[in-house]
Amino acid sequence: MIKRNGIVFILILFCSCSYFKADENPEVIARVKDNYLYKDEIKELIPSGTSKKDSVEIVRNFINRWAEQKLLIDAAEINLSDEKKASFDELIKQYKIDLYTKAYIEEVVKNTVDTIVNKSEILAYYNQNKENFKANSTLVRLRFINIKKDNPRLGTIKSKFFNFRKSDKKFWELYALQCNNFALNDTVWTDMEQVYSKLPFITPDNKNEYIIAGKSIEYTNGSDQYLVKITNVIDKNQISPFDYIQPTLKEVILNKRKLELIKKFEKEITDDAIKNNKYEIYKH
């Protein structure tokens, strides 16, 4: 048993499975004044397979932290002014109210809100509010391949790449595998950070030289050959394309539904309370 500053620690150095078997009479393992820590309170503390040495250390550290907290709250109760404690008590009371009501409303919303948002609804919202959805950075649609410049079919690959046809699907299924890296779907919008990552020869300093709608690019870097076709560009602060922000728009619509549902729910719960004579305002 270790005594320190009025704390009596009873640390049992027996951390096998039998140590944590439930007892009919709870066994005290530590005390701080009139506060007691029982063995049952730490029975889930030790992960399965933990060595005896580590188990003892875990238990010891837990008991020390528990004791420190009890001592600190006791000191705070004594030394803080009544005014400050009353202020904190009000904050705690309000926090409990906020926590309970928030959790309850979230549960109601989760079980009630319609989470299906069809594309036509998203598109209608976009058309009505597109001025609010301007691009934060340049957006690009492009396709590219990075291939070894000594590839024996480079000429054919280059011709197929810059004269891109859907009918060449089988060709690209074969030769795309020979590329170091590639992206052939130029219907998808991407931001410049991804462009810089995939095409390291393009940088913020030379961006305006390369990122031009309709531009064809051939760039050699050592043994690598880059072929790039810029199909479309939307500059920063222009209206973001629908396809790019469609997932964001869906979340905006869902959040709007949730807020409307919360407002409706709060009104209904108040109206029901008035109707059932559970809530009234007295006139003076």
Side-chain angles (χ1 to χ4, degrees):
M1 184 163 59
I2 304 171
K3 294 185 178 180
R4 184 187 302 166
N5 298 330
I7 308 170
V8 180
F9 290 128
I10 304 174
L11 181 58
I12 301 175
L13 303 179
F14 177 56
C15 294
S16 65
C17 295
S18 61
Y19 174 83
F20 295 109
K21 288 182 179 178
D23 295 327
E24 291 183 6
N25 299 314
E27 184 175 343
V28 177
I29 61 172
R31 177 181 68 81
V32 174
K33 296 187 177 181
D34 295 330
N35 299 286
Y36 295 90
L37 180 66
Y38 295 94
K39 187 172 71 175
D40 283 350
E41 296 180 69
I42 65 169
K43 63 182 179 181
E44 304 295 335
L45 194 63
I46 309 299
S48 176
T50 305
S51 68
K52 181 177 178 180
K53 180 181 177 182
D54 289 342
S55 298
V56 169
E57 188 65 22
I58 290 170
V59 172
R60 187 192 303 276
N61 290 336
F62 180 86
I63 293 173
N64 284 337
R65 287 196 302 271
W66 173 84
E68 287 167 2
Q69 289 177 344
K70 296 300 181 186
L71 289 168
L72 284 170
I73 190 66
D74 188 56
E77 290 279 1
I78 295 169
N79 292 291
L80 288 176
S81 67
D82 290 342
E83 183 180 5
K84 181 152 285 190
K85 286 189 288 186
S87 175
F88 286 144
D89 286 342
E90 282 300 315
L91 288 174
I92 293 167
K93 182 179 178 181
Q94 187 59 50
Y95 179 70
K96 179 180 178 180
I97 292 170
D98 293 341
L99 196 65
Y100 275 44
T101 54
K102 183 175 183 291
Y104 175 54
I105 288 174
E106 285 178 351
E107 195 68 24
V108 170
V109 168
K110 184 176 71 174
N111 294 325
T112 309
V113 70
D114 181 6
T115 57
I116 297 174
V117 185
N118 58 53
K119 189 173 181 178
S120 61
E121 183 179 0
I122 300 173
L123 184 59
Y125 186 84
Y126 171 75
N127 289 330
Q128 292 168 9
N129 300 278
K130 60 174 64 177
E131 289 295 330
N132 298 326
F133 297 100
K134 293 184 178 180
N136 294 323
S137 64
T138 300
L139 301 175
V140 187
R141 289 200 313 194
L142 56 77
R143 62 180 182 271
F144 79 90
I145 59 174
N146 172 7
I147 195 168
K148 294 299 180 185
K149 68 179 182 180
D150 60 359
N151 188 294
R153 297 296 304 274
L154 182 60
T156 302
I157 292 170
K158 188 184 299 185
S159 175
K160 293 281 189 182
F161 179 83
F162 288 117
N163 297 283
F164 203 77
R165 296 185 178 90
K166 290 183 178 179
S167 57
D168 290 331
K169 181 179 178 182
K170 289 186 177 180
F171 173 88
W172 289 113
E173 286 177 352
L174 175 63
Y175 283 97
L177 297 175
Q178 299 181 16
C179 297
N180 300 327
N181 203 351
F182 67 93
L184 298 174
N185 184 0
D186 58 7
T187 64
V188 177
W189 291 96
T190 186
D191 61 42
M192 286 306 302
E193 292 303 318
Q194 291 176 290
V195 175
Y196 298 144
S197 173
K198 299 297 184 181
L199 305 172
F201 65 90
I202 300 178
T203 68
D205 292 334
N206 65 19
K207 181 189 75 170
N208 294 336
E209 178 185 344
Y210 290 108
I211 305 302
I212 301 169
K215 187 175 181 67
S216 299
I217 302 168
E218 296 183 47
Y219 184 88
T220 303
N221 182 19
S223 62
D224 290 338
Q225 177 78 48
Y226 288 89
L227 304 177
V228 185
K229 180 68 176 181
I230 309 293
T231 59
N232 209 343
V233 178
I234 288 181
D235 292 325
K236 182 179 180 180
N237 293 325
Q238 289 187 323
I239 294 171
S240 297
F242 173 75
D243 290 344
Y244 182 73
I245 61 166
Q246 185 175 346
T248 301
L249 293 170
K250 180 179 178 181
E251 289 303 311
V252 169
I253 292 170
L254 281 174
N255 286 334
K256 187 169 178 286
R257 284 183 187 175
K258 290 175 183 178
L259 289 174
E260 290 171 351
L261 182 60
I262 290 170
K263 187 176 179 180
K264 180 183 176 184
F265 174 70
E266 289 174 341
K267 184 178 184 304
E268 287 178 349
I269 202 170
T270 303
D271 290 345
D272 286 346
I274 293 171
K275 181 180 178 181
N276 295 314
N277 203 31
K278 294 180 179 179
Y279 167 48
E280 59 181 315
I281 299 175
Y282 297 107
K283 295 180 180 180
H284 296 281

